[in-house]
Amino acid sequence: MKSPLKDIRFKNLSRGFLKTAISPATRVSSYGIFSGHTELSLARQGTDIDCYTDKPVIYQFWECICESPYRLHSILTDKSFKFTDEREFAVLQETLPGYSDSYIRSSLFFLLNRYSKNGQVSCGEFCKDNFNPAALNQLKIFRKPKNFNVHRYDADLCEHVSGNTNADFVLFPNVLFKYNLFNIGKPVGYDTYQHNPAELKKILGLSNRPVAIVFNKHPGVFNFFKDFNQILINSKGRLTEEKSNCEEIIVTNF
């Protein structure tokens, strides 16, 4: 089952490796769900996967689509549900969290995701051609895998991971590395994850379970996580030993 969302910030090239590294019998806790491409791919091979987010808008979208994709599709195709131009797109980006009806808000979340050039909802650039009948059909045909579940959490990330006793394996499938020591605590978009590298290093070091963090290639990853295993994935989704040739870096404690 493909995800109806798009997010071109991440290529999800590590899915093949993760399928070999994670046994189908393993229960995985995945943190930072957005498009769900990697998570759904693991679910298709039989892995039980619990996806966690601290973003209410993202959680609500997945809750609604797992419950009734038909309802989302019917709202978006209703004649009274109209979208006009780039100016309205910008207004909706700002006002989306204020919509109280969960299905209306989740329908708008999907619409903004598809119209966005890179898939970001809160700050993506308008691109008219991305919202089309094929995108709507992907929404309509979505079916929730039985072994795929999405949860919302409000706790500190490190505390939640350490207290999550249901997981055999902890996964962060899509992470952008940033030296964000001066940005911690600053407001971010309602659909944007801001991962603190120091927190991730702490999770890797203290966890008694396997942890894998998939980064987009960034030179800072190699040095900052030098005490952990680093698996490099190239543009074809294959293992490589060449740092200059990799697209994703999987940092693990195993």
Side-chain angles (χ1 to χ4, degrees), residues 19-218:
K19 284 182 178 180
T20 62
I22 302 173
S23 165
T26 302
R27 190 172 186 88
V28 176
S29 285
S30 177
Y31 286 85
I33 186 172
F34 183 78
S35 70
H37 287 295
T38 292
E39 295 92 329
L40 287 167
S41 179
L42 289 169
R44 283 197 298 271
Q45 79 163 3
T47 301
D48 286 332
I49 184 156
D50 291 304
C51 309
Y52 291 90
T53 179
D54 60 350
K55 306 295 181 184
V57 172
I58 296 176
Y59 169 73
Q60 192 171 68
F61 170 80
W62 282 104
E63 183 181 44
C64 288
I65 193 175
C66 287
E67 182 178 74
S68 181
Y70 291 110
R71 188 172 174 185
L72 294 176
H73 183 268
S74 66
I75 291 172
L76 287 164
T77 54
D78 191 281
K79 292 182 180 179
S80 64
F81 195 86
K82 295 180 180 180
F83 180 82
T84 54
D85 55 27
E86 185 173 355
R87 288 174 297 178
E88 187 172 359
F89 174 78
V91 171
L92 286 173
Q93 284 181 313
E94 293 183 6
T95 60
L96 178 66
Y99 284 83
S100 57
D101 184 281
S102 60
Y103 276 89
I104 294 294
R105 188 161 79 169
S106 296
S107 297
L108 289 171
F109 181 90
F110 177 79
L111 181 146
L112 291 172
N113 168 258
R114 298 304 308 193
Y115 270 118
S116 170
K117 187 173 182 179
N118 66 0
Q120 282 185 280
V121 173
S122 62
C123 58
E125 181 182 343
F126 181 73
C127 186
K128 185 176 181 180
D129 297 334
N130 286 336
F131 190 78
N132 52 47
L136 282 168
N137 189 57
Q138 285 296 324
L139 175 68
K140 184 178 181 179
I141 65 175
F142 180 83
R143 297 292 181 275
K144 174 190 174 299
K146 292 182 179 180
N147 52 336
F148 170 86
N149 294 287
V150 181
H151 311 274
R152 180 184 169 188
Y153 72 96
D154 295 312
D156 172 80
L157 176 61
C158 292
E159 291 179 2
H160 192 276
V161 173
S162 63
N164 182 1
T165 58
N166 293 325
D168 302 316
F169 191 105
V170 176
L171 173 66
F172 291 81
N174 299 119
V175 180
L176 294 173
F177 181 87
K178 292 183 178 180
Y179 290 112
N180 56 0
L181 298 178
F182 298 103
N183 293 322
I184 299 301
K186 290 185 178 181
V188 295
Y190 52 78
D191 63 334
T192 304
Y193 296 102
Q194 182 175 264
H195 292 99
N196 183 338
E199 284 188 333
L200 297 178
K201 183 184 286 189
K202 181 178 178 181
I203 290 170
L204 284 162
L206 297 180
S207 180
N208 57 4
R209 292 161 293 180
V211 178
I213 304 174
V214 183
F215 291 94
N216 275 8
K217 181 184 177 180
H218 187 291

